[in-house]
């Protein structure tokens, strides 16, 4: 979208004053980003305009849309949050701060930094949910322009999108963003399957559309006879949902029948059920395929009636029936409920804030979990896993992660009920506390005032992070002194396992540093956390001994290096070695070719001095010699010359292609034609008809290998041939 299109769309639902506010934000962002460009070579301001365009299409309030224009100014320019407060108010500055990454803080690893960024975003989201809507819009436009990024970055962003952002859009009910994020991510993670599904969908499109048109005409005629006003349309199946169905249910594309569903939009709930009855009189419904999400809405507020009928051509056809208001919520989720539309300032309306109680748990987790990566794992477990819906004895519906047990249910009802639990009944029968709950179960928790409280074993049994955190809180509060003593003892034992004296390692300064790294205010809090299983003694001991272990390893490496070099005999004219490799300027060393990367003549190679096994030869790009610690033990080496070219070297290759009859035979024949021996061959095929053949071949040099690879690539239905490391 252009800035003119964004402002024009805003005029459809905002006042002139609000549109002027948006234009002011755009001009401010344009000036801030004036000398910046994206990877595509376009001016940077195009990105904020597109983000604001996505938000304006969701009909968000002026502050949120303006934040879309300004979401990157603090992170990427000299503009500060104070500047934003002064020009646009505290509300906007708070939203921009919520989506700003933590670039200026030093982290141990990229993974930790990314986890901390996500943690900050989710905590900001729990305070004001508009933060995540801005972040989703930002991610959506970045995914649309992902082709300009390096391959490695594309895969990383696509994985992150499928793990975090698409499930989050689903939990917020914003299906328009969810489907697009998933389809784009699949295109970069599995392009072969993505384009295969696209091509197959195109081939059968005309036939499907004719069948659907016939069904829609029949439904329209029947509803008009009983004066039910309805909008009827076809709904295409999204590529990622087809891919998931093929993978999860092990189906071929031809076995997926609901590629195009019929959607019926009516004016009232009464008309929804009336339309359902009429459709069931036209065609036979398939048993077990009816779902009533109106009576029991999904956690993301989605409501609709789903049924599958046997259509006029004998094919199953899915029909979705809902009101116009339900459809708006299904497409735009939480954005469709936004408070400003109902004249309520800043925050969420009571109507849907109750349905999103899982957001409030985020703040609880923030206080209970010290490690950002652990926080993200907890979040993924509770928010993005499949769910089960169970009932209290009074008929209230409780939503829990799939695999939950009665302990999870008890703590979801109330913390005190969880702490006093002594047993549980499911559907009237006594069960153990590790009994797995299923959708539709009625749960009754048995409690006692004389209960000793939760057991440490409950931490292993409980599935939800909510329950685990409440159990840890109990141990943290009730048994602090005991936990401190227990934790200190466990840490001392772990330190001694590393081969150090506890007095040498557990100095005041060292303990304070490690406690600070794990966000504990003092060493006693750290010991207490170890005592109640909030963190492991091994983690603390590893941190405490980190510097000493590095120093010890370096001293040992230096010692072994000196011993190896001093044992080398005086230089004499080089003799040909069995391996075909020699160390430059040194003779009579034991040399062997490394099996992890299988170097062959023509590869860039390097020698690594091993502990007691001479020098192992690796390819220069082998990950095993890329570490900083390995650099102290490397030696320059070289191949002995052309007369080695008839020697055989083993190389592992991996071939991927479409799994069809005779593929393996053709590959074996192609290798045999190149007069190349094979020592091992194995193959497998996945649910998506993707064949993978692993093969170890004997070749003379890199040129010989290249000819074999090129010959295999010429075979039909081969996607890739690559050399692999073990």
């Amino acid at each position: 979208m252009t800035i003119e299109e964004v402002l024009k769309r805003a005029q459809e639902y905002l006042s002139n004053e609000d549109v002027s506010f948006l234009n002011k934000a755009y001009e401010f962002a344009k000036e801030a980003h004036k000398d910046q460009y994206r990877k595509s070579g376009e001016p940077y301001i195009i990105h904020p305009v597109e983000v604001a365009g996505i938000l304006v299409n969701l009909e968000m309030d002026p502050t949120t849309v303006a934040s879309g224009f300004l979401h990157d100014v603090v992170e990427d320019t000299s503009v500060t949050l104070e500047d934003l407060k002064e020009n646009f108010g505290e509300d906007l500055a708070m939203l921009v701060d919520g989506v700003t990454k933590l670039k200026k803080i030093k982290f141990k690893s990229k993974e930790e930094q990314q986890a901390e960024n996500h943690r900050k975003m989710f905590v900001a989201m729990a305070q004001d949910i508009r933060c995540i809507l801005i972040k989703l819009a930002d991610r959506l436009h970045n995914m649309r322009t992902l082709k300009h990024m390096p391959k490695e970055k594309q895969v990383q962003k696509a994985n992150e999108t499928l793990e975090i952002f698409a499930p989050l859009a689903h939990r917020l009910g914003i299906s328009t963003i969810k489907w697009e994020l998933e389809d784009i991510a699949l295109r970069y993670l599995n392009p072969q399957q993505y384009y295969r599904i696209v091509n197959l969908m195109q081939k059968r499109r005309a036939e499907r559309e004719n069948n659907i048109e016939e069904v829609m005409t029949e439904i329209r005629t029947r509803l008009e006879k009983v004066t039910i006003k309805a909008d009827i349309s076809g709904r295409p199946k999204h590529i990622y949902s087809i891919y998931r169905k093929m993978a999860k249910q092990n189906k071929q594309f031809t076995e997926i029948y609901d590629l195009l569903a019929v959607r019926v939009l009516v004016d009232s709930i009464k008309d929804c059920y009336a339309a359902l009855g009429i459709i069931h009189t036209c065609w036979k419904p398939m048993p077990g395929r009816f779902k009533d999400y109106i009576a029991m809405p999904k956690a993301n507020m989605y409501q609709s009636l789903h049924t599958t009928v046997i259509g006029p051509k004998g094919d199953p056809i899915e029909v979705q029936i809902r009101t116009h208001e339900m459809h708006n919520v299904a497409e735009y989720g939480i954005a469709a409920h936004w408070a400003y539309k109902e004249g309520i300032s800043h925050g969420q309306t009571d109507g849907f804030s109750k349905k999103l109680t899982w957001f409030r748990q985020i703040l609880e987790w923030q206080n209970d979990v010290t490690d950002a990566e652990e926080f993200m794992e907890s979040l993924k477990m509770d928010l993005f896993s499949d769910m089960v819906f169970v009932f209290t004895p009074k008929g209230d519906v409780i939503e829990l992660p799939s695999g939950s047990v009665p302990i999870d249910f008890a703590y979801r009802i109330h913390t005190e009920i969880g702490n006093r639990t002594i047993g549980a009944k499911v559907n009237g029968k006594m069960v153990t506390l590790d009994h797995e709950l299923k959708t539709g179960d009625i749960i009754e928790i048995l409690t006692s005032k004389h209960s000793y409280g939760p057991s440490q074993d409950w931490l292993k049994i409980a599935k939800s992070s909510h329950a685990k955190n409440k159990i840890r809180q109990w141990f943290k509060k009730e048994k602090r002194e005991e936990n401190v003593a227990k934790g200190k003892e466990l840490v001392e034992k772990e330190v001694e396992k590393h081969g150090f004296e506890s007095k040498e390692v557990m100095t005041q300064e060292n303990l304070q540093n490690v406690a600070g790294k794990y966000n504990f205010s003092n060493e006693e809090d750290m010991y207490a956390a170890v005592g109640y299983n909030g963190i492991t003694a091994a983690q603390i001991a590893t941190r405490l001994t980190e510097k000493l272990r590095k120093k010890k390893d370096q001293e040992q490496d230096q010692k072994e290096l000196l011993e190896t070099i001093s044992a080398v005999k005086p230089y004499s004219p080089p003799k040909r070695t069995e391996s075909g490799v020699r160390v430059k300027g040194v003779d009579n060393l034991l040399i062997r070719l490394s099996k992890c990367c299988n170097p062959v003549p023509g590869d860039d190679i390097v020698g690594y001095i091993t502990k007691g096994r001479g020098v192992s030869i690796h390819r220069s790009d082998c990950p095993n010699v890329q570490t900083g610690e390995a650099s102290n033990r490397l030696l320059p080496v070289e191949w002995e010359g052309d007369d080695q070219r008839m020697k055989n070297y083993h190389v592992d290759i991996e071939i991927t292609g479409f799994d069809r009859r005779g593929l393996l035979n053709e590959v074996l024949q192609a290798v045999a034609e190149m007069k190349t021996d094979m020592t091992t061959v194995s193959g497998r095929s996945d649910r998506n008809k993707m064949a993978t053949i692993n093969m170890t071949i004997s070749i003379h040099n890199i040129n010989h290998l290249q000819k074999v690879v090129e010959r295999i690539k010429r075979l039909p239905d081969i996607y890739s041939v690559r050399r692999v490391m073990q």
Side-chain angles (χ1 to χ4, degrees):
M1 290 177 82
T2 63
I3 181 58
E4 291 78 19
E5 289 169 332
V6 174
L7 296 178
K8 185 180 178 183
R9 177 73 180 88
Q11 283 172 339
E12 294 175 15
Y13 72 97
L14 294 176
S15 67
N16 290 335
E17 186 183 346
D18 289 336
V19 174
S20 297
F21 179 70
L22 296 184
N23 194 43
K24 178 187 173 185
Y26 164 71
E27 293 295 341
F28 190 96
K30 185 181 178 184
E31 178 62 25
H33 292 298
K34 66 181 178 182
D35 296 322
Q36 294 179 337
Y37 294 88
R38 303 200 87 207
K39 294 275 187 187
S40 61
E42 298 172 319
Y44 194 90
I45 191 62
I46 287 176
H47 171 63
V49 170
E50 289 284 358
V51 171
I54 293 166
L55 293 167
V56 88
N57 279 332
L58 293 174
E59 295 194 359
M60 293 307 300
D61 63 299
T63 304
T64 308
V65 179
S67 299
F69 284 124
L70 298 163
H71 74 278
D72 275 338
V73 293
V74 174
E75 185 180 331
D76 294 334
T77 76
S78 58
V79 174
T80 65
L81 284 173
E82 291 303 318
D83 295 333
L84 293 184
K85 280 181 192 174
E86 189 179 325
N87 286 277
F88 301 99
E90 279 201 28
D91 205 14
L92 182 141
M94 181 273 296
L95 291 178
V96 171
D97 185 42
V99 294
T100 298
K101 293 176 189 170
L102 306 169
K103 276 189 175 175
K104 294 174 184 176
I105 301 173
K106 290 186 178 178
F107 293 94
K108 300 186 297 294
S109 65
K110 285 184 179 178
E111 290 77 14
E112 186 192 27
Q113 179 171 358
Q114 193 71 330
E116 198 63 64
N117 283 333
H118 289 146
R119 177 181 185 149
K120 179 185 177 187
M121 177 184 70
F122 280 107
V123 172
M125 175 185 73
Q127 292 165 334
D128 193 317
I129 209 165
R130 291 177 293 176
C131 288
I132 199 60
L133 297 174
I134 299 165
K135 194 66 188 174
L136 284 172
D138 173 53
R139 175 51 60 111
L140 179 56
H141 183 247
N142 282 333
M143 290 299 287
R144 286 173 178 172
T145 56
L146 201 57
K147 65 181 178 183
H148 302 292
M149 301 297 285
K151 176 73 177 172
E152 183 184 339
K153 201 79 170 174
Q154 289 174 349
V155 171
Q156 179 210 327
K157 291 289 181 189
N159 269 320
E160 188 179 71
T161 297
L162 279 187
E163 278 187 12
I164 294 173
F165 292 98
L168 189 56
H170 172 67
R171 289 304 296 262
L172 295 173
I174 313 173
S175 62
T176 52
I177 289 180
K178 178 208 172 199
W179 291 123
E180 190 174 352
L181 286 175
E182 287 179 335
D183 283 358
I184 296 172
L186 179 64
R187 194 166 81 219
Y188 288 101
L189 290 175
N190 197 337
Q192 292 97 343
Q193 283 299 330
Y194 175 87
Y195 289 110
R196 179 170 169 251
I197 291 170
V198 169
N199 291 333
L200 290 168
M201 286 178 75
Q202 289 292 337
K203 286 177 185 175
R204 293 181 54 194
R205 186 173 180 176
E207 178 193 338
R208 283 198 313 273
E209 287 181 351
N210 288 337
N211 291 348
I212 290 293
E213 190 58 47
E214 188 179 334
V215 171
M216 290 195 300
T217 303
E218 181 69 19
I219 294 174
R220 194 175 288 113
T221 304
R222 294 291 189 101
L223 293 180
E224 283 172 358
K225 283 182 181 177
V226 293
T227 65
I228 292 178
K229 189 180 174 184
D231 292 331
I232 304 171
S233 60
R235 178 193 64 82
K237 191 88 170 173
H238 293 272
I239 296 163
Y240 183 75
S241 63
I242 295 171
Y243 168 78
R244 276 199 70 189
K245 187 168 275 192
M246 289 169 66
K248 285 183 79 174
Q249 299 178 15
N250 198 18
K251 287 186 174 181
Q252 295 298 312
F253 182 84
T254 50
E255 298 175 86
I256 309 289
Y257 295 110
D258 55 345
L259 293 172
L260 199 63
V262 174
R263 182 175 286 150
V264 181
L265 304 183
V266 294
D267 292 333
S268 67
I269 293 177
K270 174 171 66 75
D271 288 346
C272 288
Y273 289 100
L276 176 71
I278 289 165
I279 289 164
H280 281 180
T281 58
C282 292
W283 302 283
K284 278 189 176 181
M286 286 181 67
R289 292 298 300 261
F290 170 65
K291 295 184 178 75
D292 187 344
Y293 294 120
I294 293 179
M296 190 180 288
K298 290 186 178 181
N300 60 10
M301 301 169 289
Y302 176 88
Q303 287 184 287
S304 188
L305 296 176
H306 288 197
T307 186
T308 303
V309 297
I310 304 298
K313 305 289 186 187
D315 286 339
I317 293 173
E318 185 184 358
V319 183
Q320 298 176 353
I321 309 163
R322 62 180 79 134
T323 65
H324 293 277
E325 186 184 348
M326 290 173 189
H327 181 62
N328 201 28
V329 175
E331 292 292 297
Y332 302 111
I334 201 166
H337 284 262
W338 195 250
Y340 82 93
K341 296 177 183 177
E342 300 172 25
I344 301 169
S345 63
H346 187 72
Q348 293 106 309
T349 62
D350 291 338
F352 70 87
S353 64
K354 287 179 183 175
K355 296 175 184 176
L356 294 168
T357 51
W358 51 278
F359 274 143
R360 290 196 289 275
Q361 294 167 14
I362 292 170
L363 285 176
E364 293 179 27
W365 296 338
Q366 160 72 5
N367 295 328
D368 294 338
V369 180
T370 54
D371 183 69
E373 293 179 54
E374 185 186 344
F375 173 81
M376 284 309 300
E377 285 307 312
S378 297
L379 201 65
K380 288 178 192 177
M381 189 191 303
D382 267 22
L383 301 190
F384 306 148
S385 62
D386 292 332
M387 309 305 287
V388 293
F389 299 90
V390 295
F391 295 92
T392 67
K394 292 181 180 178
D396 295 327
V397 180
I398 302 294
E399 180 190 12
L400 295 167
S402 181
S404 289
V405 298
I407 292 168
D408 298 294
F409 177 87
Y411 278 102
R412 188 59 57 88
I413 298 298
H414 196 278
T415 303
E416 278 307 303
I417 291 176
N419 288 339
R420 293 177 178 178
T421 296
I422 57 169
K425 287 184 179 180
V426 174
N427 303 324
K429 293 182 180 178
M430 287 294 295
V431 295
T432 56
L433 291 179
D434 61 354
H435 174 84
E436 189 173 319
L437 304 178
K438 295 179 176 60
T439 293
D441 284 346
I442 301 169
I443 322 297
E444 182 185 348
I445 298 296
L446 307 178
T447 61
S448 169
K449 290 181 180 178
H450 306 294
S451 165
Y452 290 109
S455 156
Q456 285 277 7
D457 292 335
W458 288 11
L459 287 168
K460 298 173 187 173
I461 297 170
K463 175 72 175 177
S464 69
S465 299
H466 175 75
K468 288 182 178 181
N469 286 328
K470 292 298 180 187
I471 295 165
R472 288 192 188 109
Q473 275 181 9
W474 188 88
F475 283 110
K476 187 177 182 180
K477 185 179 175 183
E478 298 292 324
K479 298 187 176 183
R480 179 173 170 80
E481 287 185 14
E482 186 181 322
N483 285 329
V484 169
K486 181 182 175 185
K488 186 176 181 181
E489 184 184 343
L490 289 170
V491 171
E492 285 176 350
K493 284 182 180 176
E494 281 295 329
V495 165
E496 286 166 6
K497 279 185 187 177
H498 285 289
F500 297 99
E501 290 286 332
S502 57
K503 289 179 183 177
E504 176 189 10
V505 172
M506 296 169 74
T507 62
Q508 191 70 28
E509 184 185 356
N510 202 8
L511 287 168
Q512 283 178 352
N513 285 338
V514 173
K517 284 179 181 175
Y518 284 107
N519 296 329
F520 293 110
S521 55
N522 54 55
E523 61 188 79
E524 277 202 355
D525 286 351
M526 180 176 73
Y527 286 143
V530 174
Y532 64 75
N533 286 339
I535 192 168
T536 66
Q539 284 175 280
I540 302 298
T542 301
R543 284 282 188 186
L544 287 168
T545 59
E546 194 172 19
K547 287 182 182 177
L548 287 171
R549 281 186 292 109
K550 278 186 180 176
K551 187 180 176 184
K552 191 175 177 180
D553 287 346
Q554 284 175 358
E555 288 173 355
Q556 183 65 23
D557 283 351
Q558 288 293 329
K559 183 182 174 185
E560 288 178 1
L561 191 61
L562 289 170
E563 285 175 356
T564 304
I565 292 172
S566 62
V568 175
K569 294 179 181 178
Y571 176 74
S572 58
K575 300 172 185 175
R576 289 198 183 94
T577 60
E578 208 174 299
S579 63
V581 178
R582 67 165 173 259
V583 178
K584 291 181 182 178
V586 183
D587 194 16
N588 294 329
L589 284 180
L590 176 64
I591 294 174
R592 62 186 182 84
L593 297 179
S594 170
K595 290 183 180 178
C596 61
C597 56
N598 283 334
V600 299
D603 284 332
D604 287 333
I605 52 175
V606 66
Y608 177 79
I609 300 174
T610 65
K611 296 180 180 180
R613 291 185 297 157
V615 177
S616 66
I617 307 302
H618 295 258
R619 281 163 50 191
S620 298
D621 59 352
C622 178
N624 291 330
V625 293
Q626 295 293 318
T627 61
E629 294 174 7
S631 60
N632 296 330
R633 308 173 68 87
L634 298 182
L635 288 173
V637 294
E638 60 188 3
W639 295 103
E640 288 194 299
D642 292 341
D643 56 344
Q644 284 291 326
R645 69 179 184 275
M646 296 314 292
K647 181 178 172 61
N648 285 332
Y649 296 84
H650 288 161
V651 173
D652 296 315
I653 59 173
E654 182 180 87
I655 304 150
T656 59
F658 177 66
D659 184 22
R660 58 172 171 79
R661 190 186 295 270
L663 180 70
L664 179 59
N665 283 337
E666 288 180 26
V667 170
L668 295 176
Q669 190 175 345
V671 175
E673 282 176 13
M674 300 303 295
K675 296 181 180 175
T676 302
D677 292 334
M678 293 164 275
T679 56
T680 61
V681 178
S682 65
R684 65 184 185 278
S685 175
D686 65 16
R687 297 170 178 174
N688 303 316
K689 302 293 285 181
M690 175 78 79
T692 303
I693 301 167
N694 290 96
M695 184 180 291
T696 303
I697 58 176
S698 295
I699 56 102
H700 308 314
N701 52 41
I702 200 77
N703 293 332
H704 182 190
L705 173 63
Q706 195 61 39
K707 287 175 185 176
V708 175
V709 168
E710 291 300 324
R711 175 66 186 88
I712 297 171
K713 281 184 177 178
R714 291 203 297 270
L715 294 173
D717 296 321
I718 294 294
Y719 298 144
S720 67
V721 183
R722 67 186 187 95
R723 188 173 171 186
V724 294
M725 298 188 195
Q726 291 181 352

